[in-house]
Amino acid sequence: MPTDIQAPSIAYLPLLPILIVFGVAVVGVLIEAFVPEQLRRTSQVGTALAGLLAALGSVIYLAEEGTRRLVAEAALAIDGPTLFVQGTLCVLGIGSILMLAERRLDQSGGEVVSQAANLPGSRDDVALAESTRVQTEVYPLAMFALGGMLLFPACNNLLLMFVALEVLSLPLYLLAGLARRRRLLSQEAALKYFLLGAFASAFFLYGVALLYGYAGSVDLGDIATATAQPGKSDTLLFLGIALLAVGLLFKVGAVPFQAWTPDVYQGSPTPVTALMAACTKVAAFGALLRVFYVGFGTAGWDWRPMMWVVAILTMVGGAVLAVTQTDVKRMLAYSSVAHTGFLLVGVIALNRNGLSGTLFYLLTYGFTTIASFAVVGLVRDSSGEATHLAQWAGLGKKSPLVASVFALLLFALAGIPLTSGFMAKFAVFKAASEGGATALVVVGVIASAITAFFYARVVVLMFFQEPSVEGPTVAVPSMLTAVTIALGVAVTVVLGVFPQPVLDLAGKAALFVR
């Protein structure tokens, strides 16, 4: 007699944020197919923003209910770190959608042009803006990517984590190639991102296979149990951890897996760069924390030395390489590499303070980064965005407000006191010192000093040099971009002066369900 197969029992309420975002992405595809072109942009933007607000509301509801449970046959974990990361992603996703809402593509597939980019004397850009149509498929692509990002840090099963990794990555590969007025640069960026991402995914999947051979399961809880038992094959464990780490470290942009970062950041449309720089890093670190704290927490002596080396190389490499850059977006790319190293310091701490400090750092870094790229998108010339540092000379005299906002954001990224960046670094460095990684903290402080140099160089360039006669024009931001910048600046200032409520929130959230 054939045995009946029992359907898995799934609690849908804890999955509501993920289901909402994926549902909105599917609705976006239907809008593309059936809504008239003249109504498409408004429908897509409104649907995406409403979906993200609804997802944020459901995250807050689940957090207030104190949800801590394994769902979907223990494949997903809905707990404090998951909800904290998901809430951060929803707010950052709203900022990304607001930035995307200002962008258009010409009918021949030309690069996205800002609605506010009608620069004096730039007749070609004005004519192009008048003849453009809205390119709206970016919204469902962005929502599918955000859905994968919400799923990624919740995965308690490595196979499902691989699926989430691909779901968040594939739309980003497409979005990276949309800057077609710089067609070669953008498509080169998309191709590099795709090829290197495919290699990283292969490493990740091979690591999953080895860990299955080691533990007989791909659930993180079962792997943790296996690491505590004697008589297992350490070779499979070490190789599995190493290969799994390659896939995760690629997504966070750690050395030596950071080669894609500057080219992709530079070649992608700036709103897409902001989405990748802020949201992808938050989601990837959420997954990395779950893997190493839940799956390999009892095997810390096995992987911490490797992570020490990666963190040191990442902090120092990102800081030193950023000094040599002459392009603002490439400088911010290497800056993000250095910040990955600082975040890894919190991971290495392997204690609750390290987890809460890393969560707080992710939130502050995400808001500062997305506002920084929003400002970069405002500085333009007749050919589009002006990202060469020489073009930013004297910006403080041409547009004091924009230059002052960008200077504040750079100070936060440098970790200057009374900004959110200082409190974030203090939180992870303190946790690492308590966890016995004082030497790593010393390296982090030195790397922070190096990063402060190239941030200060940009500030000096903006305020203490004369602008060129043919310098760029600062586009007047629309309400959408202004909201994104204002939100980033507000979080940067408030969390620099009054960080304790959010630090307490991160501390309460810093407990994984196993």
Side-chain angles (χ1 to χ4, degrees):
M1 292 288 295
T3 58
D4 294 333
I5 299 176
Q6 297 295 325
S9 175
I10 298 177
Y12 289 100
L13 182 61
L15 304 180
L16 195 56
I18 300 170
L19 296 176
I20 289 174
V21 173
F22 277 126
V24 168
V26 173
V27 171
V29 174
L30 296 177
I31 290 174
E32 280 298 300
F34 300 110
V35 173
E37 186 174 345
Q38 60 269 25
L39 301 176
R40 207 173 289 163
R41 174 180 177 273
T42 303
S43 301
Q44 290 282 23
V45 174
T47 302
L49 292 177
L52 288 171
L53 286 171
L56 178 61
S58 63
V59 168
I60 295 173
Y61 171 78
L62 292 172
E64 289 180 347
E65 291 292 312
T67 305
R68 289 188 69 255
R69 58 185 297 191
L70 298 175
V71 297
E73 300 295 318
L76 291 169
I78 308 301
D79 51 20
T82 294
L83 295 175
F84 191 95
V85 170
Q86 287 182 339
T88 302
L89 286 170
C90 287
V91 180
L92 294 177
I94 291 171
S96 299
I97 294 298
L98 291 176
M99 290 180 67
L100 284 169
E102 284 203 66
R103 312 286 287 191
R104 291 184 175 182
L105 294 175
D106 70 313
Q107 293 180 358
S108 63
E111 186 193 340
V112 186
V113 180
S114 172
Q115 292 178 3
N118 295 340
L119 305 178
S122 180
R123 297 181 179 178
D124 291 339
D125 280 354
V126 174
L128 179 61
E130 292 174 350
S131 64
T132 56
R133 65 178 177 85
V134 177
Q135 193 75 12
T136 50
E137 63 267 26
V138 296
Y139 301 105
L141 286 173
M143 294 304 292
F144 275 119
L146 285 167
M149 292 175 194
L150 294 182
L151 179 62
F152 199 34
C155 293
N156 193 55
N157 179 288
L158 292 178
L159 276 181
L160 184 58
M161 187 174 286
F162 172 75
V163 173
L165 175 64
E166 295 306 298
V167 170
L168 76 88
S169 297
L170 291 174
L172 292 178
Y173 300 152
L174 295 173
L175 289 169
L178 292 182
R180 293 178 185 166
R181 286 181 74 194
R182 292 174 287 120
R183 184 181 302 245
L184 292 178
L185 187 63
S186 183
Q187 292 184 353
E188 178 187 353
L191 184 60
K192 285 182 178 178
Y193 196 17
F194 170 71
L195 291 178
L196 293 176
F199 278 116
S201 297
F203 278 106
F204 184 95
L205 194 58
Y206 194 12
V208 172
L210 293 178
L211 289 171
Y212 179 79
Y214 170 78
S217 173
V218 290
D219 287 341
L220 293 177
D222 294 337
I223 293 172
T225 301
T227 59
Q229 296 176 353
K232 293 285 187 179
S233 171
D234 288 341
T235 301
L236 286 177
L237 175 64
F238 296 156
L239 289 175
I241 292 176
L243 294 175
L244 197 70
V246 169
L248 294 172
L249 292 174
F250 172 85
K251 295 308 294 184
V252 300
V255 175
F257 313 108
Q258 89 298 344
W260 63 275
T261 308
D263 292 333
V264 174
Y265 278 30
Q266 183 184 21
S268 302
T270 300
V272 176
T273 305
L275 177 66
M276 290 188 293
C279 299
T280 304
K281 194 177 294 289
V282 171
F285 261 104
L288 187 144
L289 285 167
R290 183 170 300 280
V291 167
F292 284 99
Y293 273 63
V294 176
F296 307 127
T298 57
W301 288 107
D302 296 330
W303 58 263
R304 285 183 80 192
M306 171 195 71
M307 203 64 76
W308 267 64
V309 174
V310 172
I312 291 172
L313 291 175
T314 304
M315 288 187 291
V316 176
V320 171
L321 290 172
V323 173
T324 65
Q325 301 306 308
T326 58
D327 185 275
V328 175
K329 291 173 76 172
R330 290 182 72 88
M331 184 202 72
L332 291 175
Y334 281 112
S335 166
S336 79
V337 173
H339 281 281
T340 295
F342 300 140
L343 283 159
L344 288 174
V345 172
V347 176
I348 291 169
L350 202 58
N351 53 39
R352 187 165 181 176
N353 286 337
L355 177 55
S356 64
T358 305
L359 292 175
F360 180 78
Y361 200 130
L362 288 171
L363 186 147
T364 59
Y365 173 80
F367 280 100
T368 304
T369 298
I370 204 165
S372 298
F373 281 105
V375 173
V376 170
L378 296 178
V379 183
R380 311 181 66 84
D381 58 18
S382 59
S383 63
E385 292 175 353
T387 59
H388 197 282
L389 280 176
Q391 296 174 294
W392 287 60
L395 186 66
K397 298 180 180 179
K398 284 191 170 185
S399 182
L401 180 59
V402 171
S404 298
V405 167
F406 194 59
L408 172 64
L409 297 171
L410 291 179
F411 287 149
L413 291 173
I416 301 299
L418 298 182
T419 65
S420 60
F422 173 79
M423 297 308 304
K425 286 184 180 178
F426 179 79
V428 295
F429 287 170
K430 181 176 180 290
S433 180
E434 294 172 350
T438 305
L440 195 60
V441 173
V442 173
V443 176
V445 172
I446 295 172
S448 297
I450 299 173
T451 62
F453 167 77
F454 62 78
Y455 293 132
R457 183 184 63 174
V458 177
V459 175
V460 170
L461 188 71
M462 290 191 298
F463 288 98
F464 298 100
Q465 289 195 16
E466 293 296 324
S468 62
V469 178
E470 298 180 356
T473 300
V474 177
V476 178
S478 74
M479 182 61 68
L480 302 180
T481 296
V483 168
T484 302
I485 296 174
L487 181 62
V489 170
V491 171
T492 298
V493 173
V494 171
L495 294 188
V497 181
F498 303 108
Q500 199 57 50
V502 180
L503 283 171
D504 292 341
L505 181 63
K508 293 177 182 178
L511 187 62
F512 285 112
V513 64
R514 300 173 187 271

